[in-house]
Amino acid sequence: MSGVQPLAPYPQLTIHEDAKCGLFEYRIENWEPSAKGGLRPSSGCDLGQFIFPALVFLVDRYLTPDLLWVRALECVLVLWWMTHALIWQSITALPRLGVQLESHYGLPHTPFSSAISLGCTRRFIPLASITDIVLNEGLTGWQFRYYLAVIYQPGVEGDSEHVKVAVPFKDIRTYGPMLKEVYHGLRETLFDEFDDTSD
């Protein structure tokens, strides 16, 4: 699959296309604002990643006896905590089948290496149950955020009581132009709707 970055100001968005089966993966990497006002890949380091090992050390030092299995468990917990950073999230459009939402976790980007995915979670939503895909604006805390939503009915068709909403990229900082690109791509791939307007 080849990767393309369609928007120059937003390099964290890449579109991967598989020409054989016509699927498109819209991937947004976990980037954060830099001190100079631009964007950079997230290092995955936050205050919690320093507090947790310190708490483990304090518990080990003052509360637990000197047992080998306790030390091994502490090492496993610290390693899990430090390697469970969010790397990227994606939505894959599978023509005539549906969409797949993915979140990849692993070792974060460092100055010496790129991010390494160690595990992921996936959820598939069949096309027959998708009611609509919308681009919307919501209020979170004290700010407005654009978000993409897949509205679907997981049960029997026509059952309006059990409507669910899946939000791809919910744990990553996204911007309106990025989500607009993903929105139009999904509608073109899944519903054969083409955007005729040019901004």
Side-chain angles (χ1 to χ4, degrees):
M1 288 178 42
S2 60
V4 176
Q5 293 177 329
L7 302 172
Y10 306 104
Q12 65 269 39
L13 169 67
T14 55
I15 300 173
H16 300 270
E17 176 185 3
D18 187 351
K20 291 180 187 174
C21 54
L23 67 86
F24 289 89
E25 178 188 21
Y26 300 91
R27 180 185 298 177
I28 299 180
E29 295 180 9
N30 192 11
W31 285 38
E32 59 190 19
S34 67
K36 296 179 182 176
L39 292 171
R40 64 177 176 176
S42 176
S43 63
C45 293
D46 59 358
L47 189 58
Q49 286 184 320
F50 295 110
I51 292 176
F52 184 74
L55 287 175
V56 168
F57 173 76
L58 291 174
V59 166
D60 178 49
R61 177 92 171 133
Y62 298 108
L63 298 179
T64 61
D66 195 15
L67 299 174
L68 185 61
W69 69 270
V70 173
R71 299 235 197 283
L73 180 62
E74 290 168 350
C75 290
V76 167
L77 286 174
V78 168
L79 281 175
W80 179 84
W81 183 267
M82 295 181 78
T83 60
H84 202 69
L86 179 64
I87 309 260
W88 76 76
Q89 290 184 318
S90 68
I91 183 167
T92 304
L94 305 158
R96 299 179 301 282
L97 293 175
V99 295
Q100 179 170 293
L101 309 174
E102 293 185 12
S103 296
H104 287 259
Y105 300 92
L107 296 172
H109 177 83
T110 65
F112 309 108
S113 68
S114 60
I116 300 171
S117 177
L118 298 175
C120 70
T121 59
R122 292 185 176 103
R123 182 169 60 175
F124 179 74
I125 303 171
L127 185 60
S129 66
I130 295 177
T131 306
D132 202 3
I133 297 174
V134 296
L135 180 61
N136 209 350
E137 187 176 38
L139 182 65
T140 59
W142 294 101
Q143 62 182 352
F144 284 97
R145 268 184 75 176
Y146 287 101
Y147 66 93
L148 187 70
V150 179
I151 303 170
Y152 66 102
Q153 297 173 333
V156 180
E157 289 186 33
D159 183 15
S160 62
E161 292 182 15
H162 297 95
V163 175
K164 293 191 175 186
V165 177
V167 180
F169 317 120
K170 66 180 178 181
D171 300 322
I172 290 184
R173 182 186 303 256
T174 57
Y175 300 96
M178 293 168 41
L179 292 177
K180 187 176 178 185
E181 184 79 24
V182 174
Y183 170 78
H184 287 301
L186 289 173
R187 303 235 19 131
E188 287 174 10
T189 305
L190 297 174
F191 307 123
D192 293 326
E193 294 179 5
F194 296 95
D195 182 30
D196 295 341
T197 62
S198 60
D199 295 65

